[in-house]
Amino acid sequence: DDTEVFRVEFHVVGQHPGRRVVEATPDNVASTMAKLDAMDRRSGHGPWTRRVLELIATNPGRVSSELAKIVGRERADFKADVRKLKALGLTESLEVGYRLTALGQAITRA
């Protein structure tokens, strides 16, 4: 059979399939801040969540090895922490580095 078959996929511009998008509503900001507080309390290396969010906010697109060095962490450990923030819908990965989502920006302003 010489029939051609095409598969077409659509997505919202600026978003990727599988990315967790959480709106920056007051309730979401409050509940996410409570989760960040709990993460900081459980951390073996002290409070880190707000510092990493601020670092990404002021350095979007900066390579992770440089960000890790700024906060005195190993790159792999730093990236693991950023993945935790990403799972909450606060950061997104760029080709190089990271940036904050709307929720991440709201958290840094709160």
Side-chain angles (χ1 to χ4, degrees):
D1 186 354
D2 61 351
T3 304
E4 291 186 48
V5 177
F6 297 90
R7 178 180 174 157
V8 179
E9 293 185 20
F10 297 93
H11 65 274
V12 177
V13 174
Q15 301 201 10
H16 302 281
R19 178 180 292 162
R20 181 167 189 235
V21 178
V22 181
E23 292 184 44
T25 65
D27 286 343
N28 286 343
V29 169
S31 67
T32 303
M33 288 180 76
K35 291 175 187 175
L36 294 176
D37 290 339
M39 290 168 72
D40 283 341
R41 282 192 303 275
R42 291 189 307 267
S43 172
H45 57 276
W48 61 271
T49 59
R50 274 38 169 230
R51 184 167 186 209
V52 171
L53 288 172
E54 288 289 336
L55 186 62
I56 292 170
T58 58
N59 297 279
R62 192 163 178 187
V63 67
S64 61
S65 58
E66 292 177 7
L67 297 176
K69 190 173 187 176
I70 291 170
V71 293
R73 306 278 321 279
E74 293 293 325
R75 180 176 180 255
D77 295 335
F78 177 81
K79 288 181 71 137
D81 283 345
V82 174
R83 281 192 296 276
K84 293 172 189 173
L85 298 175
K86 184 177 183 179
L88 293 175
L90 301 173
T91 66
E92 55 189 7
S93 297
L94 302 173
E95 189 71 30
V96 174
Y98 314 97
R99 70 176 167 208
L100 297 183
T101 63
L103 180 58
Q105 293 172 22
I107 295 288
T108 60
R109 287 190 304 267

